[in-house]
Amino acid sequence: MSAQTIPSKINARKFQEMLLEWYDAHARNLPWRKSRDPYRVWVSEIMLQQTRVAAVIEHYHEFLRRFPTVQKLAVAREASVLAAWSGLGYYRRARMLHSAAKVIVRERDGTFPRTSVEWRTLPGVGRYTAAAIASIAFNERVAVVDGNVERVLQRIVGKAISGEQVWDLAENLLDHARPGDFNQAMMELGATVCAPRSPACLTCPVTQMCISRGELPDIAKAAPQKNREVHYALHRKNGSVFLIQRPKNARLMAGMWELPEIVPPPDRNDPLFRVKHSITVTNYSVAIWGLAEPAEVTGQWCAIERLPNLALTGLARKVLRRSGIFPASGRPANSSRVGGQD
Ligand code: SF4
């Protein structure tokens, strides 16, 4: 028996039954839940790390259309993988996914690992992700703990457990017949019912067994947000926009394409428009200025029709969409071509 035992108020079998019954009836209809194919489960789990479900839904199908198998992903150029990832952020994940695909194809003849221990040997796969993939795709009896599960378990036992105690408790509650569904049900409960600020205890399927019923103080306080104003130039001519590539050794978004950042024009009136953009703990107010010729010499005029194949930063994509150059459908508004690179 693990160190963190189940409180006497909680009957594990009953808990599993109630949670799974609720999950079967109320689980959100998410595209990656339609398949237990390990490639699809793996891609979805990597995309979902620190990323909203709505953003993942926007990119999941397109990524699988471009790279329908691990073999296709393994032979793809990194620039193409980053282009398909553009808008999801945390690009290190895409690079790791790409590296792991090469390992699976070259060192394992395209055979996926089956156990969480094996999955953890791949680049970009940590304890949570390995357990999620192995339990969902291969029914391994291994529990997952993410932020949602940790919050739910703390509230259920009514105290601020952490680290291995949470993993132990999750293992002790795990349903051995349906481990993948149970894990997804726990995460779903945390995402949709046992929400961080206002848990919906009246509609919670396990409320009878919950010790805190939402009365536990919010343990995980969000980091304070900072505000910053930044300015970017939008240069456009003859069916092209002027973009610059971030250094290959940049700590963030290395090698990706973005608009040139500028100091605000001294004789400015109003910018073309403003957008809001958040990265980790900083909220950016971004002013976009329509300027004639670029002062930068290191950038490049990129044909608008090539933009979908370019690894754009999330902010660049947002600005180009807002300006009507790059519509939400992914097809650029102007198809005339002057130059470009992907
Ligand atoms: Fe969370 Fe409330 Fe359900 Fe407890 S009863 S698990 S606090 S939603």
Side-chain angles (χ1 to χ4, degrees):
M1 175 64 76
S2 303
Q4 183 62 43
T5 50
I6 304 169
S8 58
K9 183 175 179 181
I10 302 171
N11 176 321
R13 167 124 352 170
K14 192 84 187 142
F15 184 92
Q16 293 154 5
E17 274 176 20
M18 290 160 76
L19 183 68
L20 284 169
E21 192 177 311
W22 167 82
Y23 181 71
D24 290 341
H26 299 285
R28 288 170 295 174
N29 184 18
L30 302 175
W32 44 90
R33 289 185 176 156
K34 293 182 174 36
S35 166
R36 303 224 170 206
D37 171 66
Y39 177 62
R40 288 167 179 258
V41 173
W42 172 41
V43 168
S44 69
E45 286 298 334
I46 299 294
M47 285 187 173
L48 285 163
Q49 291 170 359
Q50 302 179 4
T51 303
R52 288 176 304 110
V53 164
V56 175
I57 290 173
E58 274 181 35
H59 291 81
Y60 178 72
H61 289 303
E62 177 59 14
F63 191 90
L64 289 175
R65 189 189 66 73
R66 289 198 198 187
F67 313 111
T69 64
V70 68
Q71 286 80 8
K72 295 269 189 210
L73 180 59
V75 298
R77 288 178 310 136
E78 183 177 275
S80 302
V81 178
L82 293 177
W85 203 266
S86 181
L88 280 170
Y90 300 101
Y91 293 92
R92 186 166 175 273
R93 293 180 299 171
R95 292 190 172 93
M96 294 288 210
L97 187 72
H98 193 205
S99 301
K102 291 177 186 170
V103 173
I104 291 169
V105 170
R106 292 175 191 167
E107 298 175 20
R108 302 180 54 96
D109 287 333
T111 306
F112 288 99
R114 293 186 69 85
T115 67
S116 54
V117 171
E118 286 180 290
W119 273 101
R120 285 194 75 176
T121 64
L122 292 176
V125 179
R127 184 178 183 179
Y128 159 79
T129 304
I133 301 168
S135 64
I136 295 168
F138 297 105
N139 241 15
E140 187 184 359
R141 293 172 179 176
V142 57
V144 301
V145 173
D146 68 352
N148 281 326
V149 173
E150 181 167 331
R151 182 177 61 258
V152 170
L153 290 176
Q154 285 178 338
R155 285 173 171 168
I156 283 171
V157 298
K159 56 184 178 183
I161 56 173
S162 63
E164 286 305 311
Q165 291 178 311
V166 186
W167 284 90
D168 287 347
L169 183 58
E171 292 288 351
N172 285 332
L173 281 175
L174 183 69
D175 185 291
H176 284 193
R178 298 174 61 190
D181 287 343
F182 181 88
N183 284 334
Q184 292 190 88
M186 286 293 285
M187 292 187 275
E188 186 82 351
L189 187 70
T192 63
V193 176
C194 193
R197 302 225 178 277
S198 49
C201 302
L202 289 177
T203 59
C204 176
V206 294
T207 193
Q208 290 170 22
M209 284 184 252
C210 180
I211 290 173
S212 78
R213 294 201 181 154
E215 293 303 313
L216 196 67
D218 193 2
I219 295 149
K221 290 268 181 276
Q225 292 292 119
K226 291 179 279 187
N227 296 317
R228 234 191 108 196
E229 187 179 63
V230 290
H231 301 260
Y232 285 87
L234 179 59
H235 308 285
R236 185 178 178 184
K237 73 175 180 187
N238 300 332
S240 295
V241 290
F242 190 80
L243 299 175
I244 58 173
Q245 191 173 23
R246 293 175 64 80
K248 296 273 198 252
N249 60 356
R251 195 172 60 82
L252 294 174
M253 298 172 283
M256 304 197 72
W257 292 82
E258 62 184 353
L259 299 171
E261 187 172 357
I262 57 171
V263 294
D267 58 344
R268 60 181 173 169
N269 295 314
D270 287 324
L272 283 178
F273 55 86
R274 290 180 187 273
V275 295
K276 295 198 179 306
H277 194 69
S278 295
I279 299 179
T280 59
V281 296
T282 307
N283 295 324
Y284 291 93
S285 170
V286 185
I288 305 300
W289 300 86
L291 301 177
E293 286 298 318
E296 302 270 349
V297 290
T298 53
Q300 185 169 337
W301 289 100
C302 299
I304 288 172
E305 67 176 11
R306 302 290 303 277
L307 295 180
N309 299 323
L310 210 55
L312 298 166
T313 65
L315 176 57
R317 185 170 292 251
K318 183 185 281 187
V319 169
L320 292 170
R321 278 195 174 137
R322 171 71 192 277
S323 64
I325 292 172
F326 193 113
S329 66
R331 284 182 63 82
N334 185 337
S335 63
S336 63
R337 176 180 176 181
V338 172
Q341 177 176 335
D342 64 10

